[in-house]
Amino acid sequence: MDFTMRGWAKFYEPRSKTEIAQAKDLFDRALHLDPDNVDAMIAKAWCLAIAAGFRWSTSMAEDKEIATDLIDRALAKSSSNALAYVVKGDTLRVFGRPEEALPEYDAALEINPNFPIAYAQKGLALILSGRAREAFSPLQLALRLSPKDPIAVSWYYNLCHAHLHLQEYEEATKDCRRVININNAFWYAYVDLVSAYGASGQLEPARQSLTELNKIRPDFTIQWFREFGYGYSSNPQFRREFDEILDGLRKGGVREQ
């Protein structure tokens, strides 16, 4: 129990590669002492899903297998655990199956209709499923339920990203500026700003946003981001919209390779 509690404390620190790895190690220790610890199973699976989502994983195939086994075991032992369904959804989503993730988030919300993380992750899965217009309602509800959530910055970003997928550039820039005001190291927001400004012909703010992006991610290229985005979803509508985002990045001055 002590290792599990310490793991959750580490998990909710700013989510860097180091913090997630340290949290996973604590959950591993908890499971070594008690292999039937449901909380530790859920938490370790979530750490693996987050690491895969940020592409920190050294073996995506192995981590997918471990995370899937852990969360299935947790649900077999605790079928009414809303967080377990969220993590099941995240495990499906980060490994490129967002449509299959949606019923898992809905299952979590049937158990707990006021669960902000379930609404937030459902919103992201809807974007990845080519249904960006439907993403606003769950994302906004998540923010209303938990406006000071430790990871609310990512929910604001997904509002920006949904607008960008719909080519609503003014709304996208407004939401991404809010993200940067909260956390100016959140590099995804700069990506979307460059694309939104580039697509709408605002080349000077696009250049300024690209300068900030390059400070954080000097390795950023169109080719890398295309592979990154395509890894999340094979949905045809999502990929058409994502290609438009890539085109905005080109217009904003991002190098191809």
Side-chain angles (χ1 to χ4, degrees), residues 110-184:
E110 286 182 14
I111 297 166
N112 182 357
N114 295 309
F115 201 15
I117 188 66
Y119 285 110
Q121 303 303 72
K122 179 179 179 179
L124 176 53
L126 285 166
I127 296 171
L128 296 170
S129 300
R131 298 163 60 184
R133 180 67 65 191
E134 299 172 53
F136 296 110
S137 179
L139 287 166
Q140 289 164 348
L141 186 50
L143 287 163
R144 286 199 297 273
L145 288 168
S146 187
K148 296 183 179 180
D149 198 279
I151 57 171
V153 64
S154 65
W155 306 349
Y156 281 114
Y157 166 71
N158 286 326
L159 286 174
C160 163
H161 200 57
H163 282 301
L164 188 60
H165 270 265
L166 297 168
Q167 300 181 21
E168 297 172 349
Y169 300 126
E170 183 177 351
E171 294 88 344
T173 55
K174 179 181 177 181
D175 282 332
C176 270
R177 283 294 174 196
R178 177 183 293 172
V179 171
I180 290 168
N181 287 337
I182 298 170
N183 181 357
N184 63 6

Side-chain angles (χ1 to χ4, degrees), residues 53 62 97 113 128 135 150 156 164 166 185 187 196 201 235 256-257:
E62 181 179 355
R97 297 157 65 186
L128 296 170
Y156 281 114
L164 188 60
L166 297 168
W187 63 268
N235 179 276
E256 198 71 31
Q257 297 181 11

Side-chain angles (χ1 to χ4, degrees), residues 36-57:
D36 292 325
N37 185 323
V38 171
D39 283 346
M41 290 180 198
I42 295 169
K44 180 180 175 181
W46 211 3
C47 286
L48 291 169
I50 290 169
F54 282 103
R55 301 308 188 252
W56 297 332
S57 174

Side-chain angles (χ1 to χ4, degrees), residues 18-257:
T18 300
E19 275 75 35
I20 291 299
Q22 290 173 344
K24 175 184 168 294
D25 181 62
L26 289 164
F27 296 131
D28 272 330
R29 295 186 195 183
L31 287 168
H32 179 73
L33 294 173
D34 178 7
D36 292 325
N37 185 323
V38 171
D39 283 346
M41 290 180 198
I42 295 169
K44 180 180 175 181
W46 211 3
C47 286
L48 291 169
I50 290 169
F54 282 103
R55 301 308 188 252
W56 297 332
S57 174
T58 56
S59 175
M60 294 283 282
E62 181 179 355
D63 285 353
K64 176 183 178 182
E65 182 178 354
I66 294 171
T68 300
D69 177 66
L70 283 168
I71 202 60
D72 286 347
R73 285 168 53 202
L75 281 166
K77 292 178 176 295
S78 183
S79 61
S80 61
N81 189 310
L83 180 58
Y85 284 103
V86 169
V87 177
K88 175 71 172 181
D90 281 3
T91 302
L92 290 164
R93 175 179 54 77
V94 301
F95 291 107
R97 297 157 65 186
E99 292 93 346
E100 294 176 49
L102 288 168
E104 305 299 334
Y105 300 130
D106 285 337
L109 290 168
E110 286 182 14
I111 297 166
N112 182 357
N114 295 309
F115 201 15
I117 188 66
Y119 285 110
Q121 303 303 72
K122 179 179 179 179
L124 176 53
L126 285 166
I127 296 171
L128 296 170
S129 300
R131 298 163 60 184
R133 180 67 65 191
E134 299 172 53
F136 296 110
S137 179
L139 287 166
Q140 289 164 348
L141 186 50
L143 287 163
R144 286 199 297 273
L145 288 168
S146 187
K148 296 183 179 180
D149 198 279
I151 57 171
V153 64
S154 65
W155 306 349
Y156 281 114
Y157 166 71
N158 286 326
L159 286 174
C160 163
H161 200 57
H163 282 301
L164 188 60
H165 270 265
L166 297 168
Q167 300 181 21
E168 297 172 349
Y169 300 126
E170 183 177 351
E171 294 88 344
T173 55
K174 179 181 177 181
D175 282 332
C176 270
R177 283 294 174 196
R178 177 183 293 172
V179 171
I180 290 168
N181 287 337
I182 298 170
N183 181 357
N184 63 6
F186 199 91
W187 63 268
Y188 294 94
Y190 294 107
V191 175
D192 282 19
L193 283 173
V194 174
S195 181
Y197 285 134
S200 57
Q202 301 178 69
L203 300 186
E204 180 55 27
R207 184 193 64 78
Q208 293 171 359
S209 298
L210 180 56
T211 298
E212 296 303 316
L213 172 61
N214 285 334
K215 290 178 184 177
I216 304 169
R217 293 297 305 256
D219 58 338
F220 188 85
T221 64
I222 297 289
Q223 180 177 326
W224 178 86
F225 194 57
R226 182 180 186 276
E227 293 174 0
F228 183 81
Y230 271 34
Y232 279 110
S233 176
S234 60
N235 179 276
Q237 179 62 27
F238 167 82
R239 288 194 172 184
R240 281 192 292 271
E241 294 167 359
F242 196 77
D243 286 342
E244 291 293 332
I245 293 172
L246 295 175
D247 190 52
L249 290 171
R250 291 187 184 94
K251 292 175 180 176
V254 177
R255 66 185 186 277
E256 198 71 31
Q257 297 181 11

